[in-house]
Amino acid sequence: MISVSCARWEAVALLASSLWTQWSVDPTSTILVVMLVMWWLGGRGMPSHGRWRTAAWWAGVATLIAALNSPIDAQSDDFFWVHMVQHVLLLTVAAPLLVVARPMPRMLRALPLRLRIALVHGVRRERWAAPLRLLARPLGAWVVFVAVFGVWHVPSLYDLALRNQGIHDFEHVTFVASALMFWNHALGIPPFAKALDWPKRLAYATTAMITSWILAVVLALAPRPLYAYYVLKLAHHGGLSALNDQQIAAGVMWVPGSVTFTIAIILAIYNWAGPARRSTPLRAESA
């Protein structure tokens, strides 16, 4: 126990020492730049987006930058626990913040009217948009979110993503995309606010959290390191063993990774059984 604790603090100190030297531009940052441009163009001439929603937007953007461009991204190639921090930021911090911000109506205003109409019609009617319509349903979004999270942590795929930047970028895109749809339903944000009532929303968030716990337990109790990539990496660093690194990563997934799920669960319990006896799910309000 003491050795794991010492290793944890050594790992944190190593990450802190690189805070000002290992910033980078991730290829997926191109998507973020497009989002920012559309946000700016779509906001011209329209009323205020609301203080809380604007704050959530910028907090979500900042979290994406921290996860993909800061030393967290650079150090995630060397330490499994840092990589898990990156995944927690993408799946349970950036995505729910962007969901609360509801940027899509504003971003769509950046497009010409005819293109907007064609896009909305295509999503509603065309065959190519069938996967998107599936994700608009709670069950589809839950299954995809849990599957994406679980499949990418299969050791062979995880190691492959670490060795191939293109696959790694695709992993991040699928993480954020699946998480956006999941948190829309879990938090009850329009236009998905009525898709689930509060008891179902409670089960929805709880079961998803439990799946992450199962993976965390597997990582924590494994008698040996499961990811060959980090075994080789940490052999050159000294100090932190690959098994300790994996155990710390399990703790990151279990505790910080459960915070947003817990918030969604408490919100569902309060609205289901609280004194207000509310029957309508949470709606994002403009301040």
Side-chain angles (χ1 to χ4, degrees), residues 231-251:
V231 173
L232 295 174
K233 276 284 186 178
L234 289 167
H236 300 290
H237 281 286
L240 184 66
S241 71
L243 186 59
N244 284 344
D245 182 39
Q246 184 171 288
Q247 291 165 345
I248 296 170

Side-chain angles (χ1 to χ4, degrees), residues 28-271:
T28 52
S29 299
T30 307
I31 300 174
L32 181 57
V33 170
V34 172
M35 289 170 57
L36 287 168
V37 171
M38 292 182 68
W39 167 271
W40 174 69
L41 291 174
R44 294 185 302 174
M46 71 175 292
S48 171
H49 193 63
R51 288 193 299 273
W52 287 109
R53 285 166 59 186
T54 300
W57 163 258
W58 288 114
V61 168
T63 303
L64 287 176
I65 292 172
L68 300 175
N69 304 117
S70 79
I72 290 174
D73 184 58
Q75 291 292 323
S76 69
D77 287 339
D78 295 327
F79 298 98
F80 185 22
W81 77 269
V82 180
H83 206 167
M84 196 59 67
V85 169
Q86 184 182 53
H87 289 179
V88 166
L89 289 175
L90 293 174
L91 289 162
T92 70
V93 182
L97 283 170
L98 293 176
V99 162
V100 171
R102 291 186 63 206
M104 191 55 66
R106 172 169 171 162
M107 291 168 63
L108 286 176
R109 284 173 53 93
L111 302 176
L113 180 59
R114 287 186 178 180
L115 181 56
R116 271 183 275 163
I117 294 173
L119 184 61
V120 171
H121 177 79
V123 170
R124 288 179 177 175
R125 305 290 183 185
E126 298 299 331
R127 186 174 300 176
W128 59 263
L132 295 178
R133 294 195 293 271
L134 176 63
L135 287 178
R137 300 173 184 172
L139 180 59
W142 189 95
V143 169
V144 170
F145 176 75
V146 170
V148 165
F149 180 77
V151 167
W152 280 117
H153 285 90
V154 171
S156 57
L157 282 178
Y158 202 97
D159 287 343
L160 178 63
L162 285 166
R163 290 186 169 92
N164 186 300
Q165 184 62 48
I167 294 176
H168 201 177
D169 293 337
F170 178 68
E171 175 194 53
H172 289 166
V173 170
T174 57
F175 273 165
V176 175
S178 63
L180 287 172
M181 294 307 302
F182 171 82
W183 288 111
N184 266 303
H185 293 295
L187 298 176
I189 301 298
F192 305 98
K194 294 183 179 179
L196 295 171
D197 58 22
W198 289 113
K200 291 178 181 177
R201 189 163 284 116
L202 172 61
Y204 192 83
T206 302
T207 51
M209 182 173 69
I210 290 173
T211 61
S212 70
W213 286 0
I214 292 172
L215 179 55
V217 169
V218 170
L219 294 175
L221 300 183
R224 59 181 179 80
L226 299 179
Y227 300 93
Y229 179 93
Y230 286 115
V231 173
L232 295 174
K233 276 284 186 178
L234 289 167
H236 300 290
H237 281 286
L240 184 66
S241 71
L243 186 59
N244 284 344
D245 182 39
Q246 184 171 288
Q247 291 165 345
I248 296 170
V252 171
M253 182 186 293
W254 200 333
V255 182
S258 298
V259 170
T260 309
F261 289 105
T262 303
I263 292 172
I265 289 168
I266 293 172
L267 181 67
I269 293 173
Y270 175 79
N271 282 276

